[in-house]
Amino acid sequence: MSNVAIQIDNICKSFGEVQALKDVSLSIDNGEIFGLLGPDGAGKTTLFRILTTLMLPDSGRAQVCGLDICKEYRKIRTIAGYMPGRFSLYADLSVEENLRFYASLFGGKIEDNFCMIEPIYRQLEPFKNRRAGALSGGMKQKLALCCSLIHRPETLFLDEPTTGVDAVSRSEFWDILAEIRNGGMPVFVSTPYMDEASRCNRIALINNGKILETGSLDEIMKRNRLQLVAVKGRDNYATLEALRGFEGVERAYLSGEYIHAAVTSSFDRRGIMTTCEILDLKDIDANIEDVFIKIMSDENG
């Protein structure tokens, strides 16, 4: 029996002259958190809308739990949980009223599948009579997750669930996803936050509608090794321009208060110190954001 929960083969989608998805192929297994990482406009939401049968692809095919997204879309809607990126619950209804409403859409009650949401709902329970629109960002996301789980889905799609949420709430949300994954449910989640890659079993990097890399975080980092230095100048913008024209520097870009520079063995550290007023220069390990920038640069030639 196949362990594949979601199979995507050569999905393409265009809006006029804009090609939102370009031959996207992915495979998500049961019992894993699979992250789709990319900037705004990369095609993440378009892919999620296609997989949850809200939009048809121009070409290609996909299956969710063995069901064809075009031919068996009605069945998919009964077995998939979907949490869109924008908060879409009824702001004027209370926490409990929203849950009862979403349970009723699938012909059930909260009590029928309460075990699915109980750990999350316990955090919401003190606010069960509060209007959804009056909840904090983190609590809104937890309520939305409860509503997407209330019918006991077989797979879960989460489109940028932590966007606009504080760091503590983001961490708590990922802890909840880990518990859901441990129960065997596949979780397909998109995010613009590169640091969330470490919370996924496997990831795919997407930009301009094209999948650039797929694998575990360790696999992607090993395939894209970088020699990286962090540079801090008295005038970082002037230092950045100097680095971009300096021998042995493949690319340089701002990262917080430092400039990250991918360098080769010909990089002259003393030379750059005489060219610019450098306050600090040190070797650093690359992170997934550095690797993403490298892959995009390689893709663009």
Side-chain angles (χ1 to χ4, degrees), residues 10 29 33 53 65 83-84 88 110 112 149 159 169 176 185 243 249 251 253 279-280 286 299:
N10 305 113
D29 293 337
I33 297 177
T53 75
C65 299
M83 180 176 163
S88 58
I110 296 175
D112 296 339
L149 290 169
D159 189 13
S169 294
I176 291 170
M185 184 185 296
L243 280 165
V249 177
R251 71 190 64 84
Y253 44 91
L279 302 178
D280 192 16
E299 183 71 18

Side-chain angles (χ1 to χ4, degrees), residues 55-213:
M55 185 183 293
L56 290 171
D58 294 335
S59 60
R61 61 189 300 271
Q63 290 185 328
V64 176
C65 299
L67 302 172
D68 185 275
I69 59 168
C70 296
K71 298 176 182 178
E72 300 172 284
Y73 66 93
R74 292 184 185 277
K75 291 182 180 178
I76 289 174
R77 292 176 183 179
T78 66
I79 58 93
Y82 175 48
M83 180 176 163
R86 182 175 296 179
F87 184 70
S88 58
L89 303 183
Y90 290 95
D92 290 334
L93 296 183
S94 69
V95 167
E96 191 167 6
E97 287 169 340
N98 266 289
L99 280 170
R100 293 199 180 282
F101 173 74
Y102 276 88
S104 70
L105 290 179
F106 295 92
K109 301 177 180 179
I110 296 175
E111 294 77 14
D112 296 339
N113 296 309
F114 185 70
C115 60
M116 286 292 300
I117 67 168
E118 184 173 7
I120 317 168
Y121 182 74
R122 292 305 177 203
Q123 301 177 47
L124 287 164
E125 194 169 22
F127 315 103
K128 66 180 182 179
N129 295 318
R130 182 175 297 182
R131 290 188 304 107
L135 295 172
S136 67
M139 286 299 176
K140 283 180 178 177
Q141 299 302 73
K142 289 171 185 174
L143 175 57
L145 181 58
C146 282
C147 289
S148 66
L149 290 169
I150 197 61
H151 62 295
R152 191 183 284 272
E154 295 179 28
T155 187
L156 187 60
F157 295 91
L158 307 174
D159 189 13
E160 299 191 359
T162 57
T163 298
V165 177
D166 66 88
V168 173
S169 294
R170 280 175 59 194
S171 180
E172 289 177 349
F173 195 90
W174 279 97
D175 290 341
I176 291 170
L177 296 189
E179 289 299 316
I180 293 171
R181 183 272 317 278
N182 290 341
M185 184 185 296
V187 180
F188 192 15
V189 56
S190 71
T191 177
Y193 300 124
M194 293 291 154
D195 62 300
E196 293 185 342
S198 63
R199 306 299 294 266
C200 303
N201 299 103
R202 290 189 300 141
I203 61 174
L205 304 180
I206 185 172
N207 189 51
N208 292 328
K210 185 176 181 180
I211 300 296
L212 305 179
E213 276 273 11

Side-chain angles (χ1 to χ4, degrees), residues 15-27:
F15 300 98
E17 296 181 357
V18 177
Q19 194 171 2
L21 296 174
K22 306 171 185 177
D23 287 315
V24 170
S25 295
L26 292 171
S27 180

